[in-house]
Amino acid sequence: MEPVTHFLTGACIGRAGLNRKTAYATLAAVLAAEAADLDVVWGLRGPVEGLKHHRGISHTLIAVPVIAAVIVGFVALLHRWLDGRRIRRLNRIAVEPGAPIPRSLEPKNIRWGWLYLAAVIAALSHLFLDWTNNYGLRPFYPFNPRWYAGSFVFIAEPVLWALLLAAMLVPWLLGLVGGEIGARRNPYRGRGWAIFALVGMTVVWGWRWSEHGRALALVANSQVAADHVTRAAAEPYPINPFRWHVILETPGYYQTAEVNTRSAQIDSDAQQDVLYKPPVDAAVQAAKQSELGKVYLDWGTWAVVSDVGQEPVNGLAPPQLPLGQTWTTVDFSDLRFDYSWLGAGRSGSGHPLGGSVYIVNGRDDAGEVMNGREQR
């Protein structure tokens, strides 16, 4: 999922009761819920390196206890600094006879075991949230390099945003109202709303999981493709749990369909929604052996690789060659992200999460690009 959902989920985990067990629980949960995505810094070394390492070792089960320990260590350092400031301020106040001690200067009640547990739960939530969408992750890496994807929640889901934001904003608004009427301040305000949001997320997941299975069942029981279907996948849309983008594979082609599980309607055109499998020539073979090709095919469970001829791509100038040498462009795309509103029909680096490789003389890699960025 995107960072907003991870951030708000971590906040709700902390406010659901763990903040009553120990100080800094919400802070630790938020940081641990976001920490795994620090692997985006690999993108500074180029888009191919970014794809290779994103949702890599930081998104594994063996990384969870390490991430939690690092977060607790950071919180310990922060607490040491803040406590030093508290003591200095308290000493200044103590020299004034009869001066009351502000609540903000009372010592924090930290229970390190509970703090570590909060960080572990939040780090696990990151893995689960990323599994629910169709990008996937490798939770058992390096022992098992396989990608796993639930594919029943879109990577950015406004319904989840609404639930999580309500859990943050409603208690805050109620606190403002209570402050105006002189109500007693509750230091742990928002527990009920946080639990409500987390339960609501679980309901959304269960609902979408059910509709995902129904979409695949509808296609399996219908004659959508003219030939034998070897595998199928249903990809989610945001907001609407009844709408699914279905991909079918046959021995000779791919066919897509738009499925509405509420009306049991399947829309697929045997002409427009069919993509014949591209031929595998020498240039395609060479592109598959490039660094982009190896990384992309490891991740792209519905990858399509095609030689599109001498077609320049955005972000990378065509190779300048001496007479007698030729070049061609080989495009990589993944049908999981072939949504019309994200630019379906575009190929290679112009396709959502697509890439391209220039191949010279059918064998040499002359440049790689993804999303308009060259890999250097």
Side-chain angles (χ1 to χ4, degrees), residues 63-94:
V64 167
V66 178
I67 288 174
V70 171
I71 295 301
V72 170
F74 171 79
V75 172
L77 292 175
L78 177 65
H79 168 68
R80 183 176 179 179
W81 177 68
L82 292 175
D83 201 48
R85 291 185 60 191
R86 179 189 68 83
I87 292 173
R88 288 191 295 271
R89 291 179 61 192
L90 189 60
N91 288 337
R92 287 196 298 269
I93 295 175

Short mmCIF file of all heavy atoms in Angstrom, two decimals, residues 63-94:
data_model
loop_
_atom_site.label_atom_id
_atom_site.label_comp_id
_atom_site.label_asym_id
_atom_site.label_seq_id
_atom_site.Cartn_x
_atom_site.Cartn_y
_atom_site.Cartn_z
N ALA A 63 12.81 -9.85 8.76
CA ALA A 63 13.18 -8.46 9.00
C ALA A 63 12.32 -7.82 10.09
O ALA A 63 12.72 -6.81 10.68
CB ALA A 63 13.06 -7.64 7.72
N VAL A 64 11.15 -8.39 10.37
CA VAL A 64 10.21 -7.77 11.32
C VAL A 64 10.84 -7.56 12.69
O VAL A 64 10.80 -6.44 13.23
CB VAL A 64 8.91 -8.58 11.41
CG1 VAL A 64 8.07 -8.16 12.61
CG2 VAL A 64 8.10 -8.42 10.12
N PRO A 65 11.41 -8.59 13.32
CA PRO A 65 12.00 -8.34 14.66
C PRO A 65 13.17 -7.37 14.63
O PRO A 65 13.40 -6.65 15.60
CB PRO A 65 12.44 -9.74 15.11
CG PRO A 65 12.54 -10.55 13.88
CD PRO A 65 11.51 -10.01 12.95
N VAL A 66 13.90 -7.36 13.51
CA VAL A 66 15.03 -6.42 13.39
C VAL A 66 14.51 -4.99 13.29
O VAL A 66 15.01 -4.08 13.97
CB VAL A 66 15.90 -6.78 12.18
CG1 VAL A 66 17.04 -5.78 12.02
CG2 VAL A 66 16.44 -8.19 12.30
N ILE A 67 13.51 -4.79 12.44
CA ILE A 67 12.92 -3.45 12.29
C ILE A 67 12.36 -2.98 13.63
O ILE A 67 12.57 -1.83 14.05
CB ILE A 67 11.81 -3.47 11.22
CG1 ILE A 67 12.44 -3.60 9.83
CG2 ILE A 67 10.95 -2.22 11.30
CD1 ILE A 67 11.43 -3.77 8.71
N ALA A 68 11.66 -3.87 14.34
CA ALA A 68 11.09 -3.50 15.64
C ALA A 68 12.18 -3.11 16.63
O ALA A 68 12.03 -2.13 17.38
CB ALA A 68 10.26 -4.65 16.19
N ALA A 69 13.29 -3.84 16.63
CA ALA A 69 14.38 -3.53 17.54
C ALA A 69 15.02 -2.18 17.22
O ALA A 69 15.34 -1.40 18.12
CB ALA A 69 15.44 -4.64 17.49
N VAL A 70 15.19 -1.90 15.93
CA VAL A 70 15.76 -0.61 15.53
C VAL A 70 14.84 0.53 15.94
O VAL A 70 15.31 1.57 16.44
CB VAL A 70 16.01 -0.59 14.01
CG1 VAL A 70 16.41 0.80 13.54
CG2 VAL A 70 17.10 -1.59 13.64
N ILE A 71 13.54 0.35 15.76
CA ILE A 71 12.59 1.39 16.13
C ILE A 71 12.63 1.63 17.64
O ILE A 71 12.64 2.78 18.11
CB ILE A 71 11.17 1.01 15.67
CG1 ILE A 71 11.10 0.96 14.14
CG2 ILE A 71 10.15 2.00 16.23
CD1 ILE A 71 11.46 2.24 13.44
N VAL A 72 12.64 0.55 18.42
CA VAL A 72 12.69 0.70 19.88
C VAL A 72 13.99 1.39 20.29
O VAL A 72 14.01 2.24 21.19
CB VAL A 72 12.54 -0.67 20.57
CG1 VAL A 72 12.83 -0.56 22.07
CG2 VAL A 72 11.14 -1.21 20.36
N GLY A 73 15.09 1.04 19.62
CA GLY A 73 16.36 1.71 19.90
C GLY A 73 16.30 3.19 19.62
O GLY A 73 16.81 4.02 20.40
N PHE A 74 15.68 3.55 18.50
CA PHE A 74 15.52 4.97 18.16
C PHE A 74 14.67 5.68 19.21
O PHE A 74 15.00 6.80 19.64
CB PHE A 74 14.89 5.11 16.78
CG PHE A 74 14.50 6.52 16.43
CD1 PHE A 74 15.44 7.43 16.00
CD2 PHE A 74 13.17 6.93 16.56
CE1 PHE A 74 15.09 8.74 15.70
CE2 PHE A 74 12.80 8.23 16.26
CZ PHE A 74 13.77 9.14 15.82
N VAL A 75 13.56 5.04 19.62
CA VAL A 75 12.70 5.65 20.62
C VAL A 75 13.44 5.81 21.95
O VAL A 75 13.25 6.81 22.66
CB VAL A 75 11.41 4.81 20.80
CG1 VAL A 75 10.59 5.32 21.98
CG2 VAL A 75 10.56 4.86 19.53
N ALA A 76 14.30 4.83 22.27
CA ALA A 76 15.08 4.93 23.51
C ALA A 76 16.00 6.15 23.48
O ALA A 76 16.13 6.87 24.48
CB ALA A 76 15.88 3.65 23.72
N LEU A 77 16.64 6.37 22.35
CA LEU A 77 17.51 7.54 22.22
C LEU A 77 16.70 8.83 22.31
O LEU A 77 17.12 9.81 22.95
CB LEU A 77 18.27 7.48 20.89
CG LEU A 77 19.32 6.37 20.77
CD1 LEU A 77 19.90 6.35 19.36
CD2 LEU A 77 20.42 6.55 21.80
N LEU A 78 15.55 8.83 21.64
CA LEU A 78 14.68 10.01 21.69
C LEU A 78 14.23 10.28 23.12
O LEU A 78 14.22 11.43 23.59
CB LEU A 78 13.48 9.81 20.77
CG LEU A 78 12.43 10.93 20.76
CD1 LEU A 78 13.04 12.21 20.20
CD2 LEU A 78 11.20 10.51 19.95
N HIS A 79 13.85 9.20 23.81
CA HIS A 79 13.39 9.35 25.21
C HIS A 79 14.51 9.89 26.09
O HIS A 79 14.27 10.76 26.95
CB HIS A 79 12.92 8.01 25.75
CG HIS A 79 12.70 8.01 27.23
ND1 HIS A 79 11.69 8.73 27.83
CD2 HIS A 79 13.40 7.40 28.25
CE1 HIS A 79 11.76 8.56 29.15
NE2 HIS A 79 12.79 7.77 29.42
N ARG A 80 15.71 9.40 25.87
CA ARG A 80 16.85 9.87 26.69
C ARG A 80 17.06 11.37 26.50
O ARG A 80 17.30 12.10 27.47
CB ARG A 80 18.10 9.10 26.30
CG ARG A 80 19.32 9.45 27.13
CD ARG A 80 20.50 8.58 26.76
NE ARG A 80 21.68 8.93 27.53
CZ ARG A 80 22.85 8.31 27.43
NH1 ARG A 80 22.98 7.29 26.56
NH2 ARG A 80 23.88 8.69 28.15
N TRP A 81 16.94 11.82 25.26
CA TRP A 81 17.11 13.26 24.98
C TRP A 81 15.97 14.07 25.59
O TRP A 81 16.21 15.09 26.24
CB TRP A 81 17.18 13.47 23.47
CG TRP A 81 17.28 14.90 23.07
CD1 TRP A 81 18.33 15.75 23.29
CD2 TRP A 81 16.28 15.68 22.40
NE1 TRP A 81 18.05 17.00 22.78
CE2 TRP A 81 16.80 16.98 22.23
CE3 TRP A 81 15.01 15.39 21.92
CZ2 TRP A 81 16.09 17.99 21.61
CZ3 TRP A 81 14.28 16.40 21.30
CH2 TRP A 81 14.82 17.68 21.14
N LEU A 82 14.74 13.59 25.40
CA LEU A 82 13.58 14.32 25.93
C LEU A 82 13.58 14.31 27.45
O LEU A 82 13.20 15.31 28.09
CB LEU A 82 12.28 13.70 25.40
CG LEU A 82 12.01 13.87 23.90
CD1 LEU A 82 10.76 13.10 23.51
CD2 LEU A 82 11.86 15.34 23.54
N ASP A 83 13.99 13.20 28.05
CA ASP A 83 14.00 13.13 29.51
C ASP A 83 15.05 14.07 30.10
O ASP A 83 14.85 14.65 31.17
CB ASP A 83 14.27 11.69 29.96
CG ASP A 83 13.80 11.43 31.37
OD1 ASP A 83 12.65 11.80 31.68
OD2 ASP A 83 14.58 10.87 32.17
N GLY A 84 16.18 14.21 29.38
CA GLY A 84 17.18 15.17 29.83
C GLY A 84 16.64 16.59 29.83
O GLY A 84 16.87 17.37 30.78
N ARG A 85 15.90 16.93 28.79
CA ARG A 85 15.28 18.26 28.74
C ARG A 85 14.26 18.42 29.86
O ARG A 85 14.16 19.48 30.49
CB ARG A 85 14.60 18.46 27.38
CG ARG A 85 15.55 18.57 26.21
CD ARG A 85 14.78 18.89 24.95
NE ARG A 85 14.05 20.15 25.07
CZ ARG A 85 13.13 20.57 24.21
NH1 ARG A 85 12.81 19.80 23.15
NH2 ARG A 85 12.53 21.72 24.37
N ARG A 86 13.48 17.35 30.11
CA ARG A 86 12.46 17.40 31.17
C ARG A 86 13.09 17.66 32.53
O ARG A 86 12.61 18.50 33.31
CB ARG A 86 11.68 16.09 31.19
CG ARG A 86 10.59 16.03 32.27
CD ARG A 86 10.01 14.64 32.38
NE ARG A 86 10.99 13.69 32.90
CZ ARG A 86 11.24 13.53 34.20
NH1 ARG A 86 10.60 14.26 35.11
NH2 ARG A 86 12.13 12.66 34.60
N ILE A 87 14.18 16.96 32.81
CA ILE A 87 14.84 17.11 34.11
C ILE A 87 15.41 18.52 34.27
O ILE A 87 15.31 19.14 35.34
CB ILE A 87 15.94 16.05 34.26
CG1 ILE A 87 15.30 14.66 34.37
CG2 ILE A 87 16.81 16.33 35.49
CD1 ILE A 87 16.29 13.52 34.36
N ARG A 88 16.00 19.06 33.21
CA ARG A 88 16.55 20.42 33.28
C ARG A 88 15.46 21.45 33.54
O ARG A 88 15.62 22.37 34.35
CB ARG A 88 17.32 20.73 32.00
CG ARG A 88 18.65 19.98 31.90
CD ARG A 88 19.51 20.53 30.76
NE ARG A 88 18.90 20.31 29.46
CZ ARG A 88 19.10 19.22 28.73
NH1 ARG A 88 19.86 18.22 29.19
NH2 ARG A 88 18.54 19.10 27.53
N ARG A 89 14.34 21.27 32.86
CA ARG A 89 13.21 22.20 33.07
C ARG A 89 12.64 22.03 34.47
O ARG A 89 12.28 23.01 35.13
CB ARG A 89 12.13 21.96 32.03
CG ARG A 89 12.53 22.36 30.61
CD ARG A 89 11.40 22.08 29.64
NE ARG A 89 10.19 22.83 29.97
CZ ARG A 89 9.00 22.60 29.44
NH1 ARG A 89 8.86 21.62 28.55
NH2 ARG A 89 7.96 23.33 29.78
N LEU A 90 12.57 20.79 34.94
CA LEU A 90 12.04 20.52 36.28
C LEU A 90 12.92 21.13 37.35
O LEU A 90 12.43 21.68 38.35
CB LEU A 90 11.92 19.01 36.48
CG LEU A 90 11.18 18.54 37.74
CD1 LEU A 90 9.74 19.06 37.73
CD2 LEU A 90 11.18 17.02 37.81
N ASN A 91 14.23 21.08 37.13
CA ASN A 91 15.16 21.68 38.10
C ASN A 91 14.98 23.19 38.16
O ASN A 91 15.10 23.80 39.24
CB ASN A 91 16.60 21.35 37.72
CG ASN A 91 16.94 19.88 37.98
OD1 ASN A 91 16.28 19.24 38.79
ND2 ASN A 91 17.93 19.36 37.28
N ARG A 92 14.71 23.81 37.02
CA ARG A 92 14.48 25.25 37.02
C ARG A 92 13.20 25.62 37.76
O ARG A 92 13.15 26.61 38.48
CB ARG A 92 14.43 25.79 35.58
CG ARG A 92 15.79 25.82 34.89
CD ARG A 92 15.74 26.70 33.66
NE ARG A 92 14.80 26.22 32.67
CZ ARG A 92 15.12 25.38 31.67
NH1 ARG A 92 16.36 24.94 31.58
NH2 ARG A 92 14.22 25.00 30.80
N ILE A 93 12.18 24.79 37.57
CA ILE A 93 10.91 25.07 38.25
C ILE A 93 11.02 24.80 39.75
O ILE A 93 10.46 25.52 40.57
CB ILE A 93 9.79 24.21 37.64
CG1 ILE A 93 9.56 24.63 36.18
CG2 ILE A 93 8.50 24.31 38.43
CD1 ILE A 93 8.56 23.77 35.45
N ALA A 94 11.81 23.79 40.12
CA ALA A 94 11.88 23.37 41.53
C ALA A 94 12.48 24.45 42.42
O ALA A 94 12.23 24.46 43.63
CB ALA A 94 12.69 22.09 41.64
#
